[in-house]
């Protein structure tokens, strides 16, 4: 604080040393006027949006994956027309979401569909969730298809129904197989929350932009949030590896 | 017990089963032999509708199970199946593998199923493996567990789809011994196998299939001692 007041004039004169300048800029970026609170709020919003989008994405993903897999596995001669229709809707959903950029989806949701809404965070979370759901559904579908069909056959041959077979046999094994891919998707989701700035979501990038808009010093805020993202992703990866280790229990010999 | 009438099955343009009619009587030990691709596995898998027949009917216990309205899960509870590749559930312990279906289908409570599992496991000499996972077992042990898993549902008939083909030669004996014991207990069995010794010793009827048709059937003595069909003679000269 005192050092900041002492060295700030030196910088204006251009006679500050490298470390003095470094300190002043660092102070401006993070400490002056308790700016670190803005980043913290940003982190809060980022985590909130990630959590909501994650929940929505997983629910949508499972739903779409199960519908599409169930549709493809129907007994011949017993095709359900309703399932066929729903399957068509799911296909369109996945095609449209995967076929358009995340940024464009956000802009459309923010400025066209929900143009009257001021709750940018919710709109952002909704968009990210819908986006993530399409990718998650394909990951899950891949996992369900990669499993040896003999597993489901064994379940069905014991007289278990389709739902029980999925619940106890197929999904637990598929989940283990797709965990790395899911982790990947969730990391992408976490970082994609930075895009909701474009519709006014007040997350980390928003905080950084607000601060360097006043100090005209971009490096520290941007490097700062980059470090925060990195830290969050590392924590996330660590949690994922813990989960993977737990699920590997049945592999020990 | 199982009555098959004019059963046909095609995969696309390829007709695997051609108008097969056959009857499995209670207590039968029917053994199906034949070269690879002859349709014997497809025939067996059709019996519990793991393969959907293209044409024809299958009747089990007086019920036409090929009727789309039939609840196939209920029918399958009475038909045990053992697969070539065991298909144990690797995410569960052996006990859970065995008790899952009886408990989930409401046949037994968990305690009853645990008792049943312990009793069946001791019969095949694997009672100490109840808490192991499938990946910790040898192939022979896995297949014996798979047989136990099917038996836990108290089936009326057991279907075996090449149960020893994926095993190391030294493990074949232990699995065949369990199957032999089962046969001696009077279980109705349909077995697809390449084990001619087993067919001769345990089977009461042997079917020879090739190119989707049953070319010859009879007692083991007839099939192995006095084969009529030239395809069967040729087949036996190669495998015996």
């Amino acid at each position: 604080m005192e050092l900041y007041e002492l060295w700030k004039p030196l910088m204006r004169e251009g006679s500050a040393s490298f470390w003095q300048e470094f300190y002043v800029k660092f102070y401006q970026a993070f400490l002056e006027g308790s700016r670190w609170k803005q980043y913290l709020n940003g982190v809060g919003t980022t985590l909130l949006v990630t959590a909501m989008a994650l929940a929505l994405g997983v629910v949508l993903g499972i739903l779409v994956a199960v519908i599409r897999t169930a549709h493809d596995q129907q007994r011949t001669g017993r095709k359900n027309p309703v399932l066929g229709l729903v399957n068509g809707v799911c296909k369109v959903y996945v095609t449209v979401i995967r076929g358009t950029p995340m940024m464009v989806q956000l802009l459309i949701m923010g400025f066209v569909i929900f143009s009257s809404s001021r709750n940018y965070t919710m709109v952002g979370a909704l968009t990210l969730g819908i986006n993530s759901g399409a990718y998650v559904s394909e990951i899950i579908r891949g996992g369900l298809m990669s499993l040896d069909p003999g597993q489901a056959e064994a379940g069905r041959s014991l007289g278990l129904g389709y739902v029980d077979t999925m619940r106890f046999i197929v999904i637990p094994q598929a989940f283990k197989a797709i965990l790395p891919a899911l982790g990947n998707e969730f990391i992408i989701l976490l970082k994609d929350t930075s895009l909701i700035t474009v519709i006014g979501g007040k997350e980390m990038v928003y905080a950084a932009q607000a601060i360097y808009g006043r100090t005209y010093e971009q490096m520290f805020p941007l490097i700062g949030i980059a470090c925060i993202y990195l830290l969050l992703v590392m924590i996330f990866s660590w949690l994922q590896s813990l989960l993977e280790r737990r699920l590997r229990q049945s592999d020990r010999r | 017990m199982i009555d098959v009438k004019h059963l046909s099955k095609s995969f696309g343009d390829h007709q695997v089963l051609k108008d097969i009619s056959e009857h499995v009587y209670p207590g039968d030990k029917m053994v199906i032999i034949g070269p690879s691709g002859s349709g014997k596995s497809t025939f067996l898998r059709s019996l519990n509708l793991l393969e959907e027949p293209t044409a024809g009917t299958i009747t089990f216990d007086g019920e036409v199970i090929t009727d789309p309205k039939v609840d196939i899960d209920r029918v399958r509870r009475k038909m045990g199946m053992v697969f070539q590749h065991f298909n144990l559930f690797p995410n569960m312990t052996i006990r859970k593998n065995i008790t899952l279906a009886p408990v989930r289908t409401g046949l037994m409570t968990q305690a009853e199923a645990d008792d049943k599992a312990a009793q069946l496991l001791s019969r095949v000499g694997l009672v100490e493996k109840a808490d192991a996972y499938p990946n910790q077992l040898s192939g022979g042990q896995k297949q014996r567990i798979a047989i136990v898993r099917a038996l836990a549902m108290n089936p009326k008939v057991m279907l075996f789809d090449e149960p020893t083909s994926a095993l190391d030669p030294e493990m074949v004996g232990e699995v065949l011994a369990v199957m032999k014991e089962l046969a001696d207990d009077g279980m109705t069995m349909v077995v697809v196998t390449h084990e001619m010794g087993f067919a001769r010793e345990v089977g009461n009827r042997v079917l020879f299939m090739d190119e989707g048709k049953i070319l010859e059937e009879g007692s083991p003595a007839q099939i192995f001692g006095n084969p009529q069909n030239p395809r069967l003679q040729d087949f036996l000269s190669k495998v015996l």
Side-chain angles (χ1 to χ4, degrees):
Chain A
M1 182 79 179
E2 296 89 47
L3 284 174
Y4 172 64
E5 298 300 339
L6 192 68
W7 288 342
K8 203 175 162 191
L10 293 179
M11 234 180 90
R12 293 224 184 85
E13 293 160 20
S15 62
S17 76
F18 174 78
W19 289 110
Q20 285 167 340
E21 199 177 321
F22 184 94
Y23 180 78
V24 168
K25 285 179 175 174
F26 181 85
Y27 189 91
Q28 282 179 336
F30 298 109
L31 301 175
E32 190 179 28
S34 296
R35 281 184 178 140
W36 53 272
K37 281 184 184 160
Q38 294 184 43
Y39 294 103
L40 215 56
N41 287 337
V43 173
T45 307
T46 294
L47 290 178
L48 181 70
V49 169
T50 308
M52 287 193 296
L54 195 79
L56 182 61
V58 167
V59 169
L60 273 177
I62 291 175
L63 198 67
V64 172
V66 167
I67 288 170
R68 295 206 51 196
T69 314
H71 176 263
D72 294 347
Q73 287 176 347
Q74 283 179 102
R75 286 172 70 183
T76 42
R78 278 187 129 184
K79 293 269 183 231
N80 185 334
V82 181
L83 196 54
L85 186 75
V86 181
N87 181 59
V89 174
C90 291
K91 270 178 150 168
V92 170
Y93 160 67
V94 173
T95 308
V96 169
I97 295 298
R98 292 202 306 175
T100 53
M102 173 83 238
M103 180 79 114
V104 176
Q105 290 167 17
L106 263 174
L107 293 171
I108 291 174
M109 287 290 272
F111 297 134
V112 181
I113 297 173
F114 293 105
S115 55
S116 57
S117 168
R118 290 288 160 270
N119 196 342
Y120 307 115
T121 312
M122 285 306 287
V123 173
L126 184 68
T127 315
L128 281 166
I130 291 172
N131 180 279
S132 184
Y135 291 93
V136 170
S137 80
E138 287 296 287
I139 292 172
I140 295 176
R141 210 164 66 86
L144 294 178
M145 288 197 307
S146 73
L147 194 66
D148 172 15
Q151 287 290 316
E153 281 179 358
R156 297 305 300 272
S157 79
L158 287 165
L160 292 172
Y162 180 78
V163 175
D164 271 4
T165 303
M166 291 298 265
R167 178 173 156 203
F168 292 103
I169 297 160
V170 177
I171 290 175
Q173 292 183 61
F175 181 69
K176 196 167 99 178
I178 64 175
L179 203 58
L182 271 186
N184 217 2
E185 171 58 26
F186 295 159
I187 286 170
I188 291 171
L189 178 65
L190 174 68
K191 293 185 297 183
D192 274 356
T193 57
S194 60
L195 291 173
I196 70 167
T197 315
V198 299
I199 57 165
K202 294 182 175 52
E203 42 66 74
M204 279 197 273
V205 175
Y206 183 90
Q209 285 177 339
I211 288 161
Y212 68 64
R214 298 189 57 177
T215 62
Y216 303 108
E217 161 43 53
Q218 288 93 344
M219 188 176 94
F220 283 88
L222 289 177
I223 300 282
I225 61 166
C227 290
I228 299 174
Y229 277 117
L230 185 61
L231 187 70
L232 291 178
V233 169
M234 281 164 69
I235 293 172
F236 205 89
S237 308
W238 175 69
L239 290 175
Q240 185 195 334
S241 69
L242 282 188
L243 185 58
E244 272 179 40
R245 206 175 310 156
R246 247 187 74 96
L247 290 177
R248 234 179 280 137
Q249 188 189 18
S250 63
D251 290 344
R252 65 194 155 93
R253 283 164 198 257
Chain B
M1 182 175 269
I2 306 178
D3 189 48
V4 180
K5 282 205 179 75
H6 306 295
L7 176 68
S8 293
K9 170 74 185 175
S10 302
F11 293 110
D13 292 338
H14 179 53
Q15 196 174 9
V16 187
L17 297 177
K18 296 168 185 161
D19 193 25
I20 291 182
S21 295
E22 190 53 67
H23 196 95
V24 182
Y25 297 94
D28 254 357
K29 286 94 183 85
M30 180 189 273
V31 181
I32 306 170
I33 59 172
S36 310
S38 58
K40 52 192 192 314
S41 277
T42 309
F43 172 67
L44 187 79
R45 289 160 55 84
S46 298
L47 295 181
N48 67 353
L49 298 198
L50 280 184
E51 300 293 348
E52 198 86 15
T54 316
T57 58
I58 298 169
T59 311
F60 174 63
D61 252 2
E63 187 176 18
V64 183
I65 61 172
T66 36
D67 183 338
K69 288 198 243 358
V70 167
D71 176 8
I72 190 62
D73 298 333
R74 189 173 44 74
V75 175
R76 283 175 179 150
R77 282 165 208 169
K78 295 275 152 230
M79 303 170 112
M81 183 149 193
V82 176
F83 298 86
Q84 180 177 359
H85 295 287
F86 331 130
N87 297 356
L88 294 180
F89 310 130
N91 55 326
M92 305 172 198
T93 62
I94 298 307
R95 181 181 286 115
K96 186 83 183 157
N97 261 277
I98 299 168
T99 59
L100 177 71
V103 172
R104 285 302 301 176
T105 56
L107 195 65
M108 303 172 195
T109 65
Q110 185 66 49
E112 286 168 350
D114 285 344
D115 282 351
K116 177 93 182 170
Q119 175 202 332
L120 287 168
L121 281 173
S122 64
R123 227 173 104 183
V124 298
L126 290 171
V127 77
E128 75 282 1
K129 298 291 184 191
D131 293 308
Y133 282 95
N135 286 339
Q136 296 164 302
L137 305 183
S138 73
Q141 290 172 331
K142 281 185 200 172
Q143 195 60 300
R144 284 187 282 162
I145 299 289
I147 294 172
V148 164
R149 181 176 68 177
L151 287 176
M153 291 295 288
N154 296 323
K156 289 188 167 175
V157 55
M158 286 283 284
L159 312 175
F160 292 85
D161 189 4
E162 303 199 24
T164 56
S165 298
L167 296 175
D168 289 344
E170 56 187 319
M171 291 171 182
V172 170
E174 62 191 66
V175 171
L176 291 181
V178 170
M179 290 169 64
K180 223 170 281 179
E181 199 183 309
L182 198 56
D184 292 342
D185 287 352
M187 175 63 78
T188 308
M189 295 163 68
V190 182
V191 185
V192 170
T193 189
H194 293 295
E195 293 293 327
M196 297 303 151
F198 178 85
R200 203 185 311 214
E201 199 182 328
V202 178
N204 70 331
R205 288 163 72 202
V206 179
L207 270 59
F208 173 70
M209 281 186 74
D210 193 22
E211 293 178 345
K213 287 192 278 249
I214 297 171
L215 293 185
E216 191 163 339
E217 80 168 279
S219 68
Q222 286 169 329
I223 294 283
F224 294 106
N226 187 19
Q228 303 298 315
N229 190 296
R231 271 299 287 127
L232 174 58
Q233 290 167 356
D234 181 47
F235 176 74
L236 289 176
S237 72
K238 282 177 189 155
V239 296
L240 287 181

